[in-house]
Amino acid sequence: METKKVWFVTGASKGLGLALIKKLLEQNYRVAATTRNTKSLLSEIGESSDAFLPLEVNLTDPENVKSAIVKTIEHFGQLDVVVNNAGYGQIGTLEELSDKEARANFDINVFGTLNVIRNAMPYLRQQKSGHIFNISSIGGYSGNFPGWGIYCATKFAVAGLTESLAEEIKGFGVKATVVYPGYFRTDFLSKDSVKTPENVIEEYETARNSEQAHLDEINGNQPNDPQKGAEALIAISEVENPPVHFLLGSGTDEFLNNKIKTITGDAEKWSKLTFSTVI
């Protein structure tokens, strides 16, 4: 019987991450699941076993991440699929958010992802196979969400580094995919899961309206099912030539089309100036 792949999933204690590890275990994959505190994972899934390894990991600590990768390989004997899913939403306009608040969001959403990539790639490169999923957001493709600029910037960074990663590692037989989830019915938009600015500037009425719409109206009414999202990721992991860019969920096509239309429109309108620089 074929030995199922080993997955390493960060941000696994809730939302899409939790839905994914449950689906993986149902389908007899083996899973190392990381979180800041394993208590909820142990409650949801159970103790460590031949198929499941819960790990308490601080993604901003490179040595801690390295240890988690080593433990995964020691436990399962291999590593095949990495999912960089950990992250959080930071609300606030660019003027409002302090340097500390902005850097904290980048530390988890971007540098945490880089820490995992740096420590997983030596194994994947050596075995000449593997797949890295970096979970961005539709806000990592279209940034026109007032009050979400820093969060969108972190997710744009995830998309950009994944494009480069895909080119850097394809010669080793390793794949990379950036995933742009739309609105999924998880607790991502709950008041306990997103951070708001410490120093609010009330004049930013548009940003406040966007913030309230996400927290009070969109939250709990998202159109997409995280379990079906998990199934889609598993399906992508099994194809020979996976996409570098993967839109996940209903509504993402609208953001895609609107941005293409906007960029194309601007390019056409300003083409005379664009090409005015030719010597």
Side-chain angles (χ1 to χ4, degrees):
M1 189 173 71
E2 181 186 358
T3 302
K4 285 282 192 174
K5 292 177 180 178
V6 173
W7 289 59
F8 181 93
V9 182
T10 70
S13 63
K14 57 185 178 180
L16 185 60
L18 181 59
L20 177 59
I21 63 172
K22 285 183 176 181
K23 282 291 179 185
L24 288 167
L25 292 170
E26 284 176 13
Q27 297 183 25
N28 298 317
Y29 290 92
R30 294 171 291 167
V31 184
T34 86
T35 180
R36 288 172 295 177
N37 188 324
T38 57
K39 183 178 179 180
S40 60
L41 265 183
L42 295 173
S43 174
E44 286 278 355
I45 308 296
E47 299 289 336
S48 176
S49 67
D50 290 342
F52 178 60
L53 178 65
L55 294 166
E56 203 163 283
V57 178
N58 175 4
L59 293 175
T60 64
D61 182 342
E63 288 303 314
N64 198 213
V65 173
K66 181 178 181 179
S67 176
I69 296 289
V70 169
K71 288 176 182 176
T72 298
I73 294 169
E74 288 177 345
H75 188 83
F76 295 116
Q78 66 190 77
L79 174 63
D80 302 292
V81 184
V82 173
V83 182
N84 284 302
N85 173 68
Y88 70 91
Q90 174 66 66
I91 295 176
T93 67
L94 299 179
E95 182 184 354
E96 286 173 319
L97 293 178
S98 66
D99 186 71
K100 180 180 178 181
E101 289 170 303
R103 288 178 183 273
N105 207 203
F106 270 88
D107 279 344
I108 295 295
N109 294 8
V110 180
F111 290 102
T113 293
L114 287 171
N115 281 335
V116 173
I117 291 170
R118 290 189 192 103
N119 287 288
M121 269 308 302
Y123 297 95
L124 303 181
R125 179 162 45 81
Q126 184 177 27
Q127 71 187 16
K128 298 193 181 307
S129 66
H131 195 164
I132 298 175
F133 287 93
N134 293 327
I135 309 301
S136 178
S137 163
I138 197 59
Y141 175 78
S142 179
N144 58 335
F145 298 91
W148 292 84
I150 289 298
Y151 173 74
C152 287
T154 68
K155 293 304 186 176
F156 266 75
V158 168
L161 68 86
T162 307
E163 284 192 2
S164 292
L165 179 67
E167 290 297 315
E168 293 166 357
I169 65 180
K170 65 182 182 181
F172 306 119
V174 184
K175 315 296 185 182
T177 298
V178 54
V179 182
Y180 303 95
Y183 289 107
F184 276 80
R185 197 164 299 182
T186 68
D187 58 1
F188 175 76
L189 290 175
S190 68
K191 288 182 171 60
D192 294 330
S193 295
V194 295
K195 295 186 178 182
T196 53
E198 293 178 3
N199 297 302
V200 173
I201 300 173
E202 294 298 339
E203 286 89 338
Y204 281 106
E205 183 178 353
T206 303
R208 294 291 83 78
N209 291 339
S210 174
E211 174 183 322
Q212 291 308 310
H214 280 82
L215 297 181
D216 299 333
E217 298 169 24
I218 297 174
N219 184 36
N221 295 303
Q222 298 96 323
N224 294 295
D225 181 347
Q227 294 189 46
K228 293 180 179 178
E231 290 171 354
L233 293 181
I234 295 170
I236 290 289
S237 77
E238 293 296 342
V239 301
E240 185 176 352
N241 296 303
V244 175
H245 297 270
F246 181 55
L247 294 169
L248 182 61
S250 171
T252 54
D253 58 336
E254 182 179 350
F255 289 100
L256 172 70
N257 295 331
N258 286 344
K259 181 157 185 178
I260 291 172
K261 182 179 179 181
T262 298
I263 292 177
T264 302
D266 283 346
E268 291 174 350
K269 180 178 180 180
W270 299 99
S271 62
K272 186 175 181 178
L273 275 178
T274 296
F275 299 110
S276 68
T277 61
V278 177
I279 295 173

